[in-house]
Amino acid sequence: DQQVKQNSPSLSVQEGRISILNCDYTNSMFDYFLWYKKYPAEGPTFLISISSIKDKNEDGRFTVFLNKSAKHLSLHIVPSQPGDSAVYFCAASTGANSKLTFGKGITLSVRP
Amino acid sequence: NAGVTQTPKFQVLKTGQSMTLQCAQDMNHEYMSWYRQDPGMGLRLIHYSVGAGITDQGEVPNGYNVSRSTTEDFPLRLLSAAPSQTSVYFCASGSGGRSGNTIYFGEGSWLTVV
C-alpha cells in the first residue's frame, strides 16, 4: 500500500516555462512534506518543505502548495531551467521525526 | 551531501556472501537511516536509529541488520546476500527536527549480487 504517490513518471517542459510536479498521499497522519531532487549517481538533496499548518511555501523559483482536504501537494518551478532536469521525490513524515516515506519519483526534463 | 560518508561506492557480491555497508556522519545527528532505491520504487526505508543503542525496522528490513554503537556510525549488514538485494543504498542523517534541510543523504552505494 503506497502511502505517497507520484503518479506521473515523467514530465517534459520548455525552458522558461512552469514545471508542476504533483504528489498525493493517503495517510492522514502525515503532517510534514518535503521535496528532494536527485541527479544520477548522487544522493538526494533537500529542495523545499511544508508543514501541514501551511498551504504554501516559497523559496526562490520553487513553491510547494499543500491541499490537505484533497491530500495533495504540488511543486511549482518557475521559470524552469535545463539544470532542473533531475528526478524529484516527494516525501512525507509524521510527528517530529525524520523517518520519511517517499514517492516513486518523477523525472523532469527541461528542454532548452 | 556534505557530512554523510558511505563506503564502499560499488560492490559486487556472490549469493550467500556477507558484507557491511559503512555510514558515518560528522554532524552529531541523532537520527540515521538506510534506504534502498530500486527502479520504479522510489526510496524505501530499511532500518533507522534515533540515537546510539536504539534501532528500529523500516518498510523493508528483511535480510539486513543494523547496530548503532556510536552517534557517528550506522553500518548496514547483509548476512547472506541475495540477488533481490541488488540495489542502490543511501544512508541519511538528521537532527530529528521538523526542518527538512536537516536531513542529509550520502552519495549512495551500488550493490550487485550475482
Side-chain angles (χ1 to χ4, degrees):
Chain A
D1 178 30
Q2 196 177 6
Q3 298 185 65
V4 178
K5 302 178 182 179
Q6 295 177 262
N7 293 320
S8 301
S10 63
L11 175 68
S12 181
V13 300
Q14 193 78 33
E15 180 179 6
R17 297 293 191 96
I18 184 172
S19 294
I20 300 177
L21 290 71
N22 294 308
C23 178
D24 298 291
Y25 61 96
T26 58
N27 188 344
S28 58
M29 297 300 291
F30 288 143
D31 58 2
Y32 196 73
F33 305 89
L34 309 92
W35 285 92
Y36 279 83
K37 177 180 180 179
K38 186 182 179 304
Y39 292 118
E42 294 184 9
T45 54
F46 170 77
L47 199 55
I48 193 169
S49 63
I50 188 167
S51 165
S52 61
I53 62 174
K54 296 185 177 181
D55 55 17
K56 177 182 175 181
N57 188 27
E58 192 171 355
D59 184 2
R61 296 186 298 116
F62 303 92
T63 303
V64 57
F65 295 92
L66 174 62
N67 183 336
K68 284 185 293 183
S69 61
K71 293 190 177 66
H72 176 83
L73 62 154
S74 60
L75 174 67
H76 293 210
I77 306 174
V78 183
S80 301
Q81 300 173 353
D84 296 329
S85 297
V87 178
Y88 289 78
F89 291 99
C90 173
S93 67
T94 59
N97 68 74
S98 300
K99 183 180 171 184
L100 301 176
T101 299
F102 282 85
K104 292 184 178 181
I106 178 170
T107 300
L108 174 65
S109 299
V110 181
R111 307 184 305 273
Chain B
N1 298 332
V4 180
T5 303
Q6 291 182 231
T7 57
K9 182 90 171 177
F10 300 98
Q11 182 72 49
V12 178
L13 283 179
K14 293 183 178 179
T15 297
Q17 285 186 317
S18 63
M19 78 157 298
T20 299
L21 297 176
Q22 302 290 344
C23 177
Q25 53 93 6
D26 59 4
M27 297 171 282
N28 201 33
H29 285 161
E30 290 296 320
Y31 183 87
M32 296 186 73
S33 54
W34 278 101
Y35 291 84
R36 59 178 288 175
Q37 184 190 9
D38 301 293
M41 298 296 291
L43 288 91
R44 293 182 293 171
L45 182 64
I46 304 171
H47 284 285
Y48 66 99
S49 168
V50 297
I54 306 170
T55 64
D56 205 348
Q57 297 181 350
E59 181 185 355
V60 288
N62 292 339
Y64 307 94
N65 277 354
V66 292
S67 60
R68 185 92 180 271
S69 56
T70 67
T71 298
E72 294 77 20
D73 300 298
F74 191 45
L76 179 71
R77 282 182 284 275
L78 285 72
L79 300 179
S80 179
S84 61
Q85 294 178 303
T86 293
S87 187
V88 185
Y89 292 85
F90 291 99
C91 179
S93 77
S95 64
R98 298 300 304 281
S99 177
N101 60 8
T102 63
I103 302 170
Y104 298 92
F105 282 83
E107 294 190 345
S109 297
W110 274 253
L111 176 65
T112 301
V113 182
V114 298

